[in-house]
Amino acid sequence: MDEPYATVEAKDAIAFEDMYKGTQHALWTVRSSATSNYKSIDINGNSYPIDNWFNVPSTILSALSRRLHLQPSHPISLTRQLIESRFPSPTYAHHNDLSPIVTVAQNFNSLGFPADHPGRSRTDTYYINADTVLRTHTSAHQADTFRKDESNGYTISADVYRRDAIDRSHYPVFHQMEGARMWDRRRVPGGDIAKAVWADIDKLPKHNLTVEDPNPTVHMERNPLQAQYHSMEEAEAIAAHLKKSVEGVVVEIFSKARDAAVAAGEMDKDIEAPLRVRWIEAYFPFTSPSWELEVFWQGDWLELLGCGVVQQDIPINAGVPDQVGWAFGIGLERVAMLLFSIPDIRLFWSKDSRFLSQFSDSNSMARFVPFSRYPACYKDVAFWLRSSSNSAGGGSRSNAQDFHENDVMEVVRNVGGDLVEDVKQVDDFTHPVTGRKSLCYRINYRSLERTLTNTEANNLHEEIRQNLVEKLGVELR
């Protein structure tokens, strides 16, 4: 296994036992041996050893069982089904029930992530142990799906986990869908990949999108051809099939969104313009050439998804070296927020019937109607970072060298949960004499379901302040 990007002090990591000792949950249980230092966690019937890399809070463990993308009539599930409809069987198989616990090799190594990639850090990723993580993307299953070789194409929809900012569009658990379409040199007539792909393009549904695609398929520096494995003709054919397929997704999503907006009086049907999309050159570790697709919607360009020609090392390492093709990835929350006019990502996790009852399989494009808007309560917390250097990172006691904002977000989220709407840094000060660094964050407390009392907000804020001291070693101002 590649060397980890960051390590932590054992005395801090082992503190997980203080948080979880004796804890039991329907999905997970923490166990500690009385005769050894061996510790493990049972999740959904499987046991995983815990070591110094463990950094998964109970709030995240509790989310493992929710699987919103499979809940009937949930907006995330409705969005998944809408996109899947553009990728019919038997060409495409749909995988929606894969375990969120994967190996580091699956999540990073199989996709060519460099050993020093920041995504490997404990500041970004939830680790069960040094070899095991909660997947950070659906692509963690890509190589295994290629290896099984059960269909020419597939989609994977799943919950994914990342330590992230706190605001109305970010959440540490969200949902992705990825799709891929492959062709096998041994199976296409005469081994002619380009000819076979163009024949398949002719079978794809036509659309009337206005498409802006000013750049060539490949560019030696910006968007290179995998010349060792693909001819120019093959890359151009695969790219054309990819773009036509994904443009079909845009038609499906935004036609529905426009109809819903018109029905809700948010858009005048008499001035509807043709849907516009544009292709932007991009970089992803596991595709080349690569693109992002943007859609012009209600006066602005929205980034919808990323995609590209699959890096050939991935199917080679998966044992299917003769297969070539494309892959894309899309965030389901982003699409669902647009489709259903949902203003806050926390709402997807609500169990309030006033939210859930608004959506159903029979009325798949219902617009969300806010049931109330509760007042916000802003409170600031300011602190000095420790000045001494320390090699720890990603959840240990922080100083100016190793401090990461995601550690603050995790402390706030673990205490405040969904009662915190957003957290923003509002001040950054370095003392001119001592060189010590001070930061100030503004926390917005707002419930989606009721009015918070000032006493409740004060109690949460004080607990957050104390947790910042205890877990990050900061000095409050």
Side-chain angles (χ1 to χ4, degrees), residues 102 106 110 139-149 314 318:
V102 299
Q106 289 173 304
S110 69
S139 297
H141 305 286
Q142 189 178 92
D144 293 335
T145 306
F146 287 156
R147 187 175 296 110
K148 291 179 180 178
D149 194 18
I314 297 175

Side-chain angles (χ1 to χ4, degrees), residues 86-87 91-92 142 146 152-155 178-183 197 200-201 204 230 234-235 237-246 249 286-289 291 306-312 323-329:
R86 300 298 302 196
F87 300 100
T91 301
Y92 295 89
Q142 189 178 92
F146 287 156
N152 291 330
Y154 69 80
T155 66
E178 78 167 54
R181 175 66 164 93
M182 305 297 284
W183 291 264
V197 175
D200 286 335
I201 290 173
L204 294 175
H230 307 151
E234 290 171 344
I238 292 169
H241 192 285
L242 162 64
K243 292 179 177 180
K244 191 73 173 291
S245 299
V246 172
V249 172
F286 25 84
T287 56
S288 185
W291 302 271
C307 59
V309 178
V310 174
Q311 283 283 2
Q312 200 60 32
Q323 295 194 9
V324 297
W326 55 254
F328 76 87

